[in-house]
Amino acid sequence: MMQTETRAAAAPAPAPVPAPVAIDMKVSLGAATAPTPASAASLPPVTCPFRTPERRIITKEDMDQFIASPIRAALVDFIFSCSDACRGLKISHPVATSPVVTAVTSVLDELEKIADATPPEENPKTRFGNPSFRFFYDRVQKALPTLLEPVVRPREAIVEVAKYLEKSFGDRKRIDYGTGHEANFMAFLLTLYRLNLLTDADKPAIVLRLFVRYLSLMRKVQFLYWLEPAGSHGVWGLDDYHSLPFLFGASQLVDHKYLRPKAIHDMDIVDMFAKEYLYLGCIQFINRVKTTASLRWHSPMLDDISGVKTWAKIESGMRKLYVVEVLGKLPIMQHFMFGAILPFENVSGRAVKDEDLEADDGHLHYFFTM
């Protein structure tokens, strides 16, 4: 963390933060609500041959088709069931750790070694986007098939599974990272689940071991190479890069006897519990990086959410936000890829291998009731 603080302090002074404006925390989903999706149970079983995933959400009609598709329902069900599985549990809570969970943890450890062996370029021309990230990305891409051999069965599926893990580190060309890349990590885990390598019994460990390890690695990569926040909403976002730690973290805190949402303003409490609860860990991280003002000024959305009475309502709001603002946004989901494990047939009939597309520049809606 000390390294993070030093790098943050050395960065150019941020632009003045606009004064907070009133946010209606009681806005309903209304027209922003996605169409009722198909059931995840209707998703067809995994079939061969496996193939390199392709982008199939090209047009608005494709996006509408995706929102109502079984694969979207499966992704939502998987993420929300993982959130349910960590409800009320600390990060240190003893959870069942299967051999696959242990193996994936080892893969992430090896990927961190690649980051350690790929230092950033000194004195880059821009504040964000250190060019050495591309060397890191290429080394990860090359290493993944071998690293995943002990994990993935059948081995022919590695071509698909590896692509989602590769994409979870950010965009090689733009040198940025956002919630769409984070979603790719959950898609990577969903492929293992669809292959019956991970089971429902693994879901507490998926959050408390694998996602926590991934988040730690991504924080390191983000600041090692100063990744540009992809489609950042600035002060009106939860976090420059992530969304799911707030969903999983709120679930951890549901029904906590003592910690209330307003506790995020007490730095002693935040520092005491940051290592046990993802939500508070995010607050601590944000406060350590954004040292020029209080949470109310640099993160007014989080400040407003702290006025919600219960963690259960926050967790519910985070679910709605994630469905609409991540899985329901064309500028984000047009980067998502589909293959035999996570299948999707679009309307346009078009497929894109791996071309660059523009990042999201929309604005968050708010789904929290006081």
Side-chain angles (χ1 to χ4, degrees):
M1 283 297 183
M2 291 302 295
Q3 181 184 2
T4 297
E5 293 174 14
T6 300
R7 289 182 63 84
V17 176
V21 298
I23 298 176
D24 182 3
M25 302 296 285
K26 297 183 179 180
V27 175
S28 65
L29 287 175
T33 304
T36 302
S39 169
S42 60
L43 190 67
V46 176
T47 58
C48 296
F50 298 102
R51 60 187 185 272
T52 302
E54 298 175 325
R55 292 173 178 167
R56 292 185 170 274
I57 301 177
I58 312 298
T59 67
K60 181 182 181 300
E61 290 73 24
D62 292 338
M63 187 67 207
D64 293 340
Q65 179 86 350
F66 170 73
I67 288 174
S69 70
I71 187 57
R72 185 265 200 178
L75 189 56
V76 170
D77 285 356
F78 181 70
I79 292 172
F80 288 178
S81 62
C82 286
S83 183
D84 289 336
C86 70
R87 181 161 297 184
L89 302 182
K90 297 180 180 180
I91 291 174
S92 64
H93 186 85
V95 295
T97 305
S98 68
V100 172
V101 169
T102 301
V104 174
T105 302
S106 297
V107 170
L108 296 175
D109 290 342
E110 291 301 315
L111 296 178
E112 182 166 16
K113 292 178 182 178
I114 294 177
D116 291 336
T118 314
E121 179 181 310
E122 294 185 6
N123 302 318
K125 295 181 181 179
T126 60
R127 174 184 175 185
F128 285 106
N130 193 289
S132 290
F133 173 73
R134 296 192 178 108
F135 295 111
F136 163 77
Y137 190 100
D138 290 343
R139 290 169 182 172
V140 167
Q141 185 182 55
K142 183 178 179 180
L144 281 178
T146 300
L147 291 176
L148 290 172
E149 277 189 7
V151 181
V152 179
R153 295 291 184 276
R155 290 184 178 178
E156 293 79 7
I158 290 176
V159 66
E160 295 199 25
V161 176
K163 179 59 69 173
Y164 294 104
L165 185 52
E166 171 197 326
K167 289 296 180 182
S168 71
F169 284 94
D171 187 275
R172 183 190 183 280
K173 182 176 181 180
R174 294 191 303 271
I175 315 182
D176 65 10
Y177 179 94
T179 53
H181 303 107
E182 179 187 65
N184 270 281
F185 184 72
M186 296 307 296
F188 159 68
L189 297 174
L190 179 57
T191 62
L192 299 181
Y193 183 77
R194 290 263 293 153
L195 291 169
N196 297 316
L197 300 172
L198 291 172
T199 69
D200 289 334
D202 291 311
K203 286 181 177 177
I206 283 175
V207 175
L208 302 178
R209 298 296 178 267
L210 297 183
F211 186 82
V212 167
R213 182 68 186 89
Y214 166 72
L215 179 62
S216 173
L217 174 55
M218 280 315 309
R219 293 297 196 195
K220 183 172 189 174
V221 170
Q222 287 153 11
F223 279 89
L224 186 63
Y225 304 112
W226 282 106
L227 302 187
E228 181 83 27
S232 173
H233 303 281
V235 297
W236 301 114
L238 292 172
D239 179 284
D240 284 340
Y241 300 107
H242 293 281
S243 178
L244 287 175
F246 295 94
L247 169 59
F248 296 151
S251 182
Q252 285 182 280
L253 288 162
V254 168
D255 297 328
H256 196 285
K257 290 184 179 180
Y258 307 109
L259 294 177
R260 298 291 181 265
K262 64 182 180 181
I264 68 170
H265 298 288
D266 188 322
M267 289 303 99
D268 289 336
I269 291 178
V270 170
D271 290 341
M272 184 180 301
F273 293 101
K275 292 183 179 180
E276 293 288 8
Y277 297 102
L278 282 163
Y279 199 103
L280 299 182
C282 287
I283 298 298
Q284 182 190 62
F285 181 84
I286 291 169
N287 283 330
R288 288 185 173 181
V289 173
K290 301 181 179 181
T291 59
T292 58
S294 67
L295 189 73
R296 178 172 179 263
W297 290 93
H298 59 62
S299 303
M301 183 179 178
L302 290 171
D303 179 70
D304 286 340
I305 292 172
S306 70
V308 177
K309 293 181 180 179
T310 68
W311 289 109
K313 288 184 177 180
I314 291 179
E315 198 259 359
S316 175
M318 291 295 174
R319 290 187 180 215
K320 296 171 184 176
L321 184 149
Y322 194 80
V323 167
V324 177
E325 295 295 343
V326 178
L327 300 183
K329 290 294 185 182
L330 175 59
I332 294 176
M333 296 310 297
Q334 66 184 352
H335 299 276
F336 203 78
M337 309 184 89
F338 304 92
I341 305 175
L342 305 184
F344 172 63
E345 295 299 326
N346 58 8
V347 176
S348 67
R350 296 169 56 195
V352 178
K353 289 290 185 182
D354 213 1
E355 297 175 7
D356 187 34
L357 295 172
E358 293 298 321
D360 181 23
D361 61 354
H363 299 283
L364 287 177
H365 301 284
Y366 300 90
F367 307 109
F368 304 90
T369 54
M370 304 298 285

